[in-house]
């Protein structure tokens, strides 16, 4: 297969090689067996199953893209993406996938911006079952990062003392490791952000109870508080004052993963929609013969193809550290979340009243979908980013 190049010369993978196909199938099967089986029960109970998480870690899923010298298998980042796509296809649990995306964000950050010591210390833990949270949002607001009040104050003898409260953080109620964004500025009126990583059993860290949410109920989301938490200089990821850069890169990575998750989970739902349209009859013919209903299939297929193609392109740009990644990741996330929620509504509509009943697959799917318009930057923030890129580029 011809591998196209983007205008900037970045290779964009559009087809998996044999090894990647195998990984994709392997993780599809693992997810179908491990994750999908208890998914509805976890949604009903609003619970996270640590055993499922541990069993996934035991398959070496997290180690795939980590270099051999630090406990990984040293495969390409695209290999891991193939595994992630397979996992997303088989899981039937957007909540679990949200937790996975969050974990991936910290692993990626450590791989791209961590020191050798940070990688040696954290990666073996995170790849063998330790759960990570990445915390920037606070109750006062998530879109405007400059509004955060968590502060890390440098100490005369070295290290920092951190105080602040984070809220709505994926994995926080069960996290073993947390990456947090804190202000490190000292001048009034200045804004300097730095990222820190620490174990959640450090003195002064309090993980709150899970929040009761509309959807993604199998993903534990909650507050995490920092009261005079002492960390050493080695806890800073990417350098003091470089937090915004690192955070934007991690958020872009999450947005790209959302594209993969959305394409794969819609692909898993498409047969359900097709079956419904073939089996249900109205006005003497199957729903599949009615054009307004056919349109729902077209929209879902477009969301699948578009989200996947955009995600691959963005992943290629991120991997190459091409500066086009930011625009591309925002377009990916906006397209994917719009397609996911649109298809979620279409699926409910295709099932009529039975799709609107609590406990139906369509109902759960719609509840879960909405979070993708909010987490990792809202749709409005993607639009703002896209507009700003265009304004800079086109005069
Ligand atoms: C399931 C889930 C998981 C999450 N996990 C994490 C996590 O792991 N880590 C983390 O740090 N956060 C997490 N969040 C929080 C998420 O990042 C924030 O909810 C999000 O950034 C929006 O912040 P907010 O809720 O405070 O809304 P606000 O920032 O108060 O915004 C409210 C509304 O106003 C809009 N708005 C704000 N500013 C503008 C503007 N300039 N122009 C136009 N519209 C604007 C927003 O788009 C939004 O619609 C999670 C959220 C969800 C739903």
């Amino acid at each position: 297969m011809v591998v196209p190049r983007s205008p900037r010369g970045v290779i964009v993978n559009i087809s998996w090689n044999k090894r990647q196909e195998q990984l994709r199938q392997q993780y599809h099967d693992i997810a179908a067996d491990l994750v999908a089986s208890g998914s509805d029960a976890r949604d009903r109970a609003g619970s996270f199953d640590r055993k499922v998480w541990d069993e996934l870690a035991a398959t070496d899923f997290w180690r795939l893209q980590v270099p051999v010298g630090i406990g990984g298998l040293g495969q390409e980042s695209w290999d891991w993406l193939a595994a992630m796509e397979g996992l997303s296809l088989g899981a039937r649990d957007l909540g679990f996938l949200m937790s996975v995306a969050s974990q991936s964000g910290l692993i990626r950050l450590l791989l791209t911006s961590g020191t050798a010591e940070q990688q040696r210390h954290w990666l073996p833990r995170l790849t063998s079952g330790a759960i990570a949270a990445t915390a920037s949002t606070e109750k006062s607001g998530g879109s405007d990062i400059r509004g955060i009040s968590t502060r890390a104050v440098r100490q005369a003898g070295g290290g920092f003392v951190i105080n602040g409260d984070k809220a709505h953080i994926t994995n926080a109620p069960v996290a073993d490791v947390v990456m947090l964004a804190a202000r490190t500025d000292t001048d009034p009126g200045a804004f300097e952000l730095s990222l820190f990583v620490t174990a959640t059993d450090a003195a002064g860290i309090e993980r709150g109870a899970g929040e009761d949410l509309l959807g993604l109920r199998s993903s534990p989301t909650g507050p995490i508080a920092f009261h005079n938490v002492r960390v050493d200089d080695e806890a800073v990821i990417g350098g003091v004052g470089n937090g915004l850069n690192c955070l934007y890169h991690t958020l872009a990575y999450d947005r790209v993963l959302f594209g993969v998750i959305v394409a794969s989970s819609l692909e898993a739902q498409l047969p359900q929609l097709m079956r419904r349209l073939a089996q249900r009859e109205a006005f003497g013919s199957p729903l599949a013969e009615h054009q307004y209903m056919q349109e729902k299939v077209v929209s879902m297929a477009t969301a699948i193809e578009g989200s996947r193609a955009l995600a691959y392109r963005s992943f290629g740009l991120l991997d190459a550290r091409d500066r086009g990644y930011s625009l591309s990741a925002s377009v990916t996330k906006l397209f994917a979340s719009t397609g996911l929620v649109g298809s979620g509504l279409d699926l409910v509509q295709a099932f009529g009243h039975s799709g609107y009943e609590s406990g139906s697959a369509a109902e759960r799917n719609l509840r879960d979908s909405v979070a993708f318009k909010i987490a990792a930057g809202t749709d409005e923030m993607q639009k703002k980013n896209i507009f700003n890129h265009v304004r800079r580029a086109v005069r």
Side-chain angles (χ1 to χ4, degrees):
M1 159 97 38
V2 178
V3 180
R5 286 170 179 271
S6 80
R8 288 204 179 87
V10 176
I11 291 174
V12 180
N13 185 358
I14 57 161
S15 66
W16 301 121
N17 63 31
K18 208 163 167 223
R19 184 181 68 243
Q20 291 161 346
E21 277 293 352
Q22 283 167 352
L23 278 167
R24 188 173 180 269
Q25 186 61 46
Q26 180 189 344
Y27 277 94
H28 167 275
D29 296 348
I30 286 172
D33 183 41
L34 197 65
V35 186
S37 49
S39 169
D40 286 339
R42 289 193 298 276
D43 172 56
R44 276 193 301 277
S47 66
F48 173 79
D49 190 343
R50 179 92 199 210
K51 197 163 154 269
V52 175
W53 188 269
D54 288 342
E55 285 181 25
L56 177 65
T59 68
D60 284 341
F61 176 72
W62 299 112
R63 296 175 66 220
L64 279 171
Q65 61 170 325
V66 173
V68 174
I70 39 179
L73 299 181
Q75 290 184 234
E76 292 171 19
S77 55
W78 283 98
D79 294 354
W80 181 80
L81 198 72
M84 180 67 197
E85 187 169 292
L87 193 84
S88 307
L89 268 169
R92 292 181 187 272
D93 189 337
L94 285 171
F96 187 81
L97 295 171
M98 179 65 81
S99 286
V100 166
S102 185
Q103 176 96 353
S104 313
L106 181 54
I107 291 177
R108 172 78 179 195
L109 179 65
L110 287 164
L111 285 173
T112 53
S113 307
T115 63
E117 178 51 32
Q118 284 170 339
Q119 293 177 349
R120 262 196 308 275
H121 184 77
W122 295 110
L123 288 173
R125 290 169 172 75
L126 292 170
T127 54
S128 58
I131 300 176
T134 57
S136 61
T137 304
E138 299 178 5
K139 275 216 167 123
S140 55
S143 302
D144 182 5
I145 186 70
R146 287 169 193 270
I148 69 165
S149 53
T150 296
R151 200 166 268 288
V153 178
R154 195 188 279 280
Q155 303 300 289
F160 294 80
V161 171
I162 303 173
N163 279 288
D165 294 283
K166 300 291 181 182
H168 322 317
I169 310 301
T170 301
N171 296 343
V174 295
D176 306 298
V177 179
V178 60
M179 181 280 277
L180 72 139
R183 297 181 70 135
T184 42
D185 47 71
T186 45
D187 296 338
F191 177 79
E192 182 187 85
L193 195 79
S194 304
L195 302 186
F196 297 84
V197 59
T198 178
T200 56
D201 62 5
I205 295 185
E206 204 179 317
R207 299 174 301 179
E211 296 164 359
D212 192 12
L213 303 181
L214 170 73
L216 299 189
R217 293 170 57 78
S218 55
S219 175
T221 306
I224 182 162
F226 302 84
H227 303 297
N228 294 322
V229 177
R230 292 181 177 278
V231 295
D232 56 27
D233 292 334
E234 189 53 36
V236 181
I237 307 182
V240 176
N242 195 28
L244 268 185
N245 272 339
C246 291
L247 194 63
Y248 287 156
H249 189 92
T250 307
L251 280 171
Y253 184 70
D254 284 347
R255 291 166 189 168
V256 175
L257 291 188
F258 281 15
V260 172
I261 291 170
V262 165
S264 303
S265 61
L266 287 180
E267 189 176 330
Q269 285 167 32
L270 194 55
Q272 197 188 347
L273 178 60
M274 292 302 284
R275 270 196 306 277
R276 169 70 180 177
L277 299 195
Q279 289 165 4
R280 184 78 170 182
E281 292 201 359
F283 298 93
S285 56
L287 292 180
E289 298 310 317
H290 299 286
Q291 247 182 28
Y292 288 127
M293 299 310 289
Q294 292 171 356
E295 190 188 19
K296 301 185 189 322
V297 175
V298 174
S299 299
M300 195 181 279
T302 304
I304 294 167
E305 292 295 324
S307 301
R308 183 163 290 152
L310 285 166
Y312 289 173
R313 175 179 155 73
S314 306
F315 193 76
L317 294 172
L318 262 175
D319 241 17
R321 293 190 166 260
D322 184 295
R323 63 196 158 81
Y325 79 81
S326 170
L327 171 62
S328 190
S330 280
V331 172
T332 302
K333 205 237 164 186
L334 183 60
F335 186 87
S337 67
T338 306
L340 185 68
V341 174
S343 288
L345 283 166
D346 281 349
L347 203 61
V348 169
Q349 200 73 10
F351 278 84
H353 187 276
S354 59
Y356 191 64
E357 287 167 12
S358 286
S360 72
E363 174 264 352
R364 176 189 175 182
N365 181 61
L366 181 58
R367 279 192 289 108
D368 286 348
S369 300
V370 178
F372 284 74
K373 291 174 90 63
I374 301 172
T378 62
D379 278 9
E380 290 78 8
M381 289 301 104
Q382 306 319 308
K383 289 177 186 173
K384 192 167 180 276
N385 193 30
I386 293 165
F387 179 79
N388 286 340
H389 275 286
V390 173
R391 181 154 57 184
R392 276 196 297 272
V394 184
R395 291 189 187 275

